[in-house]
């Protein structure tokens, strides 16, 4: 789960990583009297806020008031702004990049840094990027900071500041079960101090049970995706016309892949998961129908999820929702015979192989 | 030859009185696995499918278990794994989904310290037809043979194994690595085992988009494996940045795309199937 | 370093290990109004306080005041009482033993517990003692608590409480660099709650630089030992008459052993350590002379500590303190010749072997 | 045969510009040890006794060091050890005294994970006459020979080694385990090495009161060692409960007394010397 900039900075503050003085407002009445130049930052979970007009500067009370009024409720790259972070303006001398993330290949945390911050890290040449895997049992140790400050060619004063930030950043990464904790840019301010001008913190969703202080929000998801998420489904909306219900992330992906290779366009990704209950199947139909697909493909390889359960669910969903769409079903695996029998009694012929089902549903959809 | 486990391996189930523990301990028994005991704190003296239940792993070590299947809720997985490792169990399979990956990292490196295998979390386990099954793969799809399968997926593995079996071939060992960001085993771990196993003549690698494990596996195959290897990559059609259920399937920063993985395999002389169903023919 | 009971309990409270309500007084004026039965406990770092009259009970204001006046300034097993812990009286139903300490053989922390608390753990039969080594990399995990509560035959209610205490006790052990953290007794109170009726916390002295909140006190040491400690010497006062200065703990021990085997009685243990400076040697003489020995043995095997440095130190000390005692010196190892030469010029003949030196000093002391 | 290190081992010194680092790097060079580099953050480009100084261990790994001697203040020892282990160095000797034992525990188990030896803290290191010395034992007392010594003490070790040399014998390997509550190596680690080393014919064990390592060593000798072993135990005269400089010398709870150790050795057929000076004769 992505945290907002202000949430990340609250954590940084708690861990004594320097951040600019600032406060959050969700209405113009919460704006404090102007005392010194400030930056007004839209709190939306998307990059490129600056270029999209989501960040404004104010050097007097009037411009501050205007900026707040203008930004609150506006849209930044499609996302509605409901909170603003109003912060002291920095006197930026240099911008650096600093993050800790999971290196999935090495199965270890990795520290990434660059003297070239403030831009997309992807466009910085390899030679300017410091990468260092951290042994998760040992954790962060100061020698890593000494290696980094040498790479960054920091003087003693800057090196000391960075080496104070690094262990705290690693603590944040660990304590908050982060996938990513990123400071971009880490700013060298006019006063010679390093300060985190932005924050990007992504918490492993599987760990949210121990971080209940954060409301579950995810503006990158559509309302339907959020509904599905709240019901426990892996569900992604796509651009096509073929509704898809399958079981297992890999099989569901393979189903979409097969549709696309046959020039069929999936409307969604829906993984039933491994729970064996007709209700789960009925609710899955509810979600897929809300996405209003032209046709629907059900692709089940029975294991934990048994074919007869899915068949019963399909029959129940048909009855409950009066499904109008053409429905193509493929059943294979555990209790395949029983499942096919249930469907047959309700006038549905199920395929036992995946490819004919895919071909059939694509032809129904008018593709290929 | 022993590939993590064999027909003599004794297995316990931590969390045996739960829904999954009950069902799958029964299925493992049917498969022929020697399930010798289970745990569920406060429920010692009961039995599940005829398997005796104990409070703690330390209470059943007289049964000399070699492996454990952990099926407890995510907040308790780390403790259960440490309990098994502390007792000296050398194969730890975690069935549970949604284990925080920071927990898995800790478990993984402590398992390695103790010379133990970690399988899962959130994977279907290991099946060796005719010998032993630890995990949740459907019993019916297997046939003893010489094809080994390593897969990051669950159901898709069954699909592929089923196709192999229906085609008349059979499997030596099938390992589900699991779809979590930090899996207990990766492809190279599995490939090393398959490469050394004399009962394995052919190998199937079932990958997914995300990460660079498939690329590294391709490199390993190019250097070390002379057995026939066929691959499949799920997620060719995934739009960049869209999540596909597995955190492992996030396409990030241009690495880990289906194209990059397919290219890596083909350069290593590994043919990549377009459809899962094509795999059996490509193995022949 | 040993902590006082009240210091240990402050730590317990901070880590949410239940302790009785109470407060510390160092003068009668600090005693609060009596509200309910209390126990008044002398804060001295020695066992057997109860049997020695260092613990009193009070059921009204008058007895409380008397107890405080009686105990403050009194001696408990030779130690002066300057602080009292006044605590709610417990309604003790059962007493358990619980501790975590370093198992030096396994080089791991060890959890020790027994249903038989309140007495010396040494006298409890082995079968009633639970011992469990804890992997220091993994740390405490709940399965250990489940094993323990089963061993203790605790019901669900008690087990839950104990399993809440254990991870916190381990945290104390780790965070405070403990050699020992002990609750004896852990009391089952009348209200059904487990509560730490006493605390014994020993902090690794080498770690005190990160625990500067605790004043360095050690009432088990004599004033001279404390002086030596503050100057950085390993120094122990003994009952005999032969002052000893040696280098290295092992060689110093071996020197004492050799003296005793020759029926000589050492006055002290003094390890010069490995610092090569005449001042260290001179100061060592100062300490030994303060112990007023009959004779003095210097036994040096030169390594880091070089023989000529020690010789120069001996000469300087003789001059400075006008040493009257018979002085037997043994020098061997690095710069032995130079050292012996320095001594010779000042009228001291040094042995090169340990045993003749030991024999000589014992004969001077009038032993053997 | 290699016992932790040999004549080809390349050694670095972390904290080489400190008093101890400077002195002992020079002494090690004189002994013949290949001291190839040292570290001292911010002092790269300098040299000590002709040895080049670098900021970080990672900056000198092109010199292919096999071992490090760490001589930094106690609060920095853990970081220095992790720096060396992270860089892949497999022998870590900590000269520093007064390292908190909780730090040492962490270092020890992480060293083991990485297949590295930990020597010290607070011990004199390892010396192999004619081959290599890592640590602070005086150069002059050694002579190449077939007696191996493992000791919990520093100066007392020199005394005994000197006596052995003066008696006309010589040493194959001398290991100072250190006097800390958690030593990086214990007697059994050393005895295993000595037992396997063909250049070692006789073994001296120098113990102290406190702990039960000597008792366990005696048991190990009884079961596994057929070479001649002689022991000495310091602290026979220590009054119970009095501290003797080493935390290792606290007599607690009736275990770890000199009597118990002497008894254990004698029952294992190991003669125990009354005086350190008796050892050479007992070895003959």
């Amino acid at each position: 789960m992505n945290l907002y900039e202000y949430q990340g900075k609250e954590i940084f503050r708690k861990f004594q990583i320097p951040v600019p003085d600032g406060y959050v407002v969700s209405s113009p009445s919460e704006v404090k009297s102007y005392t010194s130049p400030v930056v007004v930052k839209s709190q939306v979970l998307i990059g490129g806020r600056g270029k999209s007009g989501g960040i404004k500067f104010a050097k007097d009370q009037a411009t501050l008031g205007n900026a707040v009024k203008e930004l609150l409720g506006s849209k930044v790259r499609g996302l509605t702004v409901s909170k603003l972070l109003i912060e002291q303006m920095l006197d930026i001398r240099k911008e650096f990049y600093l993050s800790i993330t999971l290196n999935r290949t090495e199965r270890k945390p990795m520290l990434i840094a660059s003297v070239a911050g403030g831009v997309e890290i992807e466009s910085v040449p390899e030679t300017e990027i410091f990468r260092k895997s951290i042994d998760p049992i040992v954790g962060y140790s100061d020698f890593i900071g000494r290696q980094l400050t040498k790479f960054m060619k920091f003087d003693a004063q800057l090196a000391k500041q960075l080496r104070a930030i690094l262990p705290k950043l690693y603590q944040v990464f660990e304590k908050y079960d982060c996938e990513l904790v990123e400071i971009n840019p880490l700013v060298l301010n006019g006063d010679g101090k390093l300060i985190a001008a932005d924050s990007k913190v992504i918490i492993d969703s599987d760990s949210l049970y121990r971080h209940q202080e954060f409301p579950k929000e995810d503006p990158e998801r559509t309302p339907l995706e959020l509904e599905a998420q709240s019901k426990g489904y892996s569900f992604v909306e796509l651009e096509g016309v073929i509704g898809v219900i399958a079981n297992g992330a890999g099989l569901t992906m393979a189903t979409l892949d097969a549709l696309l290779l046959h020039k069929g366009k999936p409307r969604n990704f829906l993984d039933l998961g491994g729970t064996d209950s007709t209700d789960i199947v009925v609710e899955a139909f509810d979600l897929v129908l809300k996405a209003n697909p032209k046709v629907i493909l059900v692709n089940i390889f029975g294991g934990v999820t048994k074919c007869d359960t899915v068949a019963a669910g399909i029959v129940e969903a048909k009855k409950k929702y009066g499904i109008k769409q053409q429905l193509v079903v493929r059943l294979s695996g555990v209790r395949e015979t029983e499942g096919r029998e249930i469907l047959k009694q309700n006038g549905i012929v199920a395929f036992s192989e995946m490819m004919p089902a895919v071909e059939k549903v694509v032809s129904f959809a008018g593709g290929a | 030859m022993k590939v993590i486990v064999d027909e003599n391996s004794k297995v316990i189930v931590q969390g045996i009185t739960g829904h999954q523990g009950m069902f799958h301990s029964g299925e493992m028994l049917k498969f022929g696995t020697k399930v010798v005991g289970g745990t569920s704190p406060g429920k010692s003296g009961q039995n599940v499918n005829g398997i005796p239940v104990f409070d703690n792993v330390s209470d059943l070590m007289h049964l000399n278990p070699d492996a454990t299947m952990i099926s407890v809720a995510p907040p308790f997985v780390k403790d259960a794994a440490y309990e098994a490792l502390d007792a000296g169990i050398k194969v730890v399979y975690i069935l549970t989904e949604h284990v925080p990956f920071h927990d898995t990292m800790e478990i993984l490196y402590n398992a390695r310290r103790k010379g133990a295998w970690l399988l899962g979390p959130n994977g279907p386990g290991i099946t060796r037809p005719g010998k032993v099954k630890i995990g949740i793969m459907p019993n019916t799809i297997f046939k003893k043979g010489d094809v080994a399968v390593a897969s990051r997926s669950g159901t898709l593995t069954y699909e592929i194994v089923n196709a192999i079996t229906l085609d008349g071939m059979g499997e030596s060992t099938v390992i589900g690595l699991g779809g979590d960001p930090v899996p207990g085993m990766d492809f190279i771990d599995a490939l090393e085992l398959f490469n050394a196993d004399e009962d394995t003549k052919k190998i199937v690698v079932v990958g997914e988009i995300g990460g660079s494990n498939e690329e590294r596996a391709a490199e390993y195959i190019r250097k070390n494996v002379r057995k026939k290897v066929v691959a499949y990559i799920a997620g060719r059609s995934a739009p960049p940045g869209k999540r596909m259920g597995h955190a492992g399937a996030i396409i990030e920063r241009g690495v880990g795309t289906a194209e990059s993985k397919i290219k890596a395999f083909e350069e290593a002389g590994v043919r990549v199937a377009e459809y899962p169903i094509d795999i059996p023919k490509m193995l022949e």
Side-chain angles (χ1 to χ4, degrees), chain B residues 53-68:
Chain B
V53 179
F54 300 82
D55 290 323
N56 300 313
V57 173
S58 54
D59 300 335
L60 56 61
M61 289 309 289
H62 60 282
L63 303 170
N64 297 312
D66 303 285
T68 181

Side-chain angles (χ1 to χ4, degrees), chain A residues 68-85:
Chain A
V68 169
K69 271 174 220 146
E70 236 174 274
L71 289 176
L72 275 177
S74 73
K75 292 249 179 190
V76 173
R77 303 191 62 188
L79 300 172
T80 305
V81 178
S82 61
K83 281 200 173 82
L84 301 173
L85 176 60

Side-chain angles (χ1 to χ4, degrees), chain A residues 104-108 173 178 204 206 209-210 221 234 236 247-251 254 257 260-262 269 330 355, chain B residues 75 98 100-103 109 112 153 155 159 183-184 186 212 216 232 235-237 243-248 275:
Chain A
R104 295 173 50 149
T105 305
E106 294 194 9
R107 293 180 277 183
K108 284 179 183 169
F173 180 77
C178 293
D204 175 10
D206 288 338
Y209 68 87
R210 49 192 181 203
R221 297 190 182 235
S234 284
V236 182
N247 67 324
L251 182 61
D257 292 346
L260 276 149
L261 284 166
H262 282 78
F269 171 106
R330 179 270 179 133
M355 296 316 299
Chain B
H98 298 300
F101 78 83
H102 282 257
D103 288 5
Y109 290 98
R112 285 191 179 173
S153 168
T155 322
E159 179 87 58
D186 66 12
S212 57
R216 302 215 323 170
Y232 176 80
R236 287 174 183 240
S237 64
R243 296 203 188 93
M244 285 295 183
H246 279 194
Y275 302 103

Side-chain angles (χ1 to χ4, degrees), chain A residues 160-336:
Chain A
K160 197 182 158 192
Q161 292 183 57
L162 186 57
R163 281 164 59 196
I165 290 171
L166 288 166
K168 289 155 187 170
L169 199 69
Y170 190 77
Q171 276 174 34
V172 171
F173 180 77
E174 273 204 315
K175 295 263 160 79
Y176 287 91
D177 289 295
C178 293
E179 289 178 9
L180 172 70
V181 51
E182 183 181 76
I183 303 177
N184 188 26
L186 175 69
V187 159
L188 172 59
N189 205 10
D191 60 3
K193 297 271 187 288
L194 288 178
I195 189 162
D198 199 354
S199 86
K200 188 170 169 70
V201 177
I202 306 179
I203 296 182
D204 175 10
S205 309
D206 288 338
S207 78
L208 287 177
Y209 68 87
R210 49 192 181 203
H211 305 289
Q212 299 191 344
E213 66 270 38
F214 303 112
K216 286 192 192 181
E217 292 178 89
D218 195 342
E220 283 180 23
R221 297 190 182 235
T222 68
L224 195 53
E225 287 175 352
L226 285 172
E227 183 187 339
Q229 186 185 21
S230 74
K231 290 174 174 164
Y233 293 88
S234 284
F235 182 90
V236 182
E237 280 198 79
L238 302 166
E239 315 277 289
V241 295
I242 304 171
V244 174
I245 295 174
N247 67 324
L251 182 61
T252 313
M253 270 196 271
T255 309
L256 302 195
D257 292 346
L259 286 172
L260 276 149
L261 284 166
H262 282 78
K263 314 254 186 265
K265 293 198 165 48
R267 177 70 187 91
N268 72 286
F269 171 106
L270 188 154
D271 171 9
L272 272 184
T275 316
D276 192 35
S277 135
T278 53
D279 292 351
I280 299 285
V281 180
V282 173
E283 211 165 47
F285 270 96
D286 180 41
L287 290 166
V288 169
L289 289 168
K290 280 176 178 162
N292 199 26
K294 204 166 153 191
V295 294
I296 297 174
L297 171 64
V298 179
N299 184 16
I300 299 298
F301 196 97
V304 178
T305 308
K306 292 174 201 74
C307 290
D308 55 349
T309 311
V310 175
I314 293 171
V315 170
E316 199 179 321
K318 260 204 111 165
K319 210 172 292 172
K320 186 167 176 188
Y321 302 117
I323 299 172
K324 300 278 182 297
Q325 285 91 336
Q326 289 273 18
L327 186 62
V328 177
V329 180
R330 179 270 179 133
L331 288 183
S332 189
V334 173
R335 294 193 186 266
E336 179 181 332

Side-chain angles (χ1 to χ4, degrees), chain B residues 45-227:
Chain B
Q46 299 187 7
N47 81 75
V48 168
N49 303 311
I51 303 159
V53 179
F54 300 82
D55 290 323
N56 300 313
V57 173
S58 54
D59 300 335
L60 56 61
M61 289 309 289
H62 60 282
L63 303 170
N64 297 312
D66 303 285
T68 181
M69 171 166 111
I70 293 175
S71 178
V72 300
F76 308 111
V77 165
K78 197 160 80 169
D79 179 63
Y82 287 154
E83 183 179 11
L85 291 171
D86 182 76
I89 293 177
K90 296 294 181 203
V91 179
V92 175
Y93 160 60
I94 299 170
L95 159 57
T96 311
E97 286 183 75
H98 298 300
V99 177
F101 78 83
H102 282 257
D103 288 5
T104 309
M105 272 201 298
E106 273 190 48
I107 297 168
L108 171 63
Y109 290 98
N110 280 304
R112 285 191 179 173
R113 272 177 69 207
K114 294 172 190 237
W117 286 104
L118 179 65
L119 269 151
N122 185 26
I126 181 168
T127 306
R128 308 198 64 210
K131 294 194 168 78
V132 61
K133 177 184 96 166
I134 301 176
I136 63 170
M137 299 189 209
N139 289 350
T140 51
I141 58 176
F142 294 95
K143 200 182 103 184
K144 198 170 172 173
D146 61 7
V147 182
V149 181
S151 170
R152 280 170 72 184
S153 168
T155 322
L156 183 56
T157 314
Y158 316 156
E159 179 87 58
I160 290 168
V161 169
N162 194 49
I164 292 168
T165 300
L166 288 177
D167 201 73
M169 289 180 286
E171 306 81 28
S172 54
T173 301
V174 179
I175 299 178
L177 306 174
D180 272 11
V182 178
M185 279 182 74
D186 66 12
F187 283 121
I188 294 180
D189 295 326
L191 285 165
E192 279 176 0
L193 292 167
F194 295 165
N195 206 22
D197 175 34
E198 58 230 16
D199 297 334
T200 295
K201 306 286 180 225
K202 299 164 184 176
I203 298 170
V204 178
V205 174
V206 183
E208 271 180 20
I209 51 173
S212 57
N213 271 303
E214 288 79 1
E215 286 86 341
R216 302 215 323 170
E219 180 67 8
Y220 179 85
I221 291 165
R222 196 177 58 73
K223 286 196 185 141
N224 304 292
V225 183
R226 297 291 156 263
K227 300 183 180 183

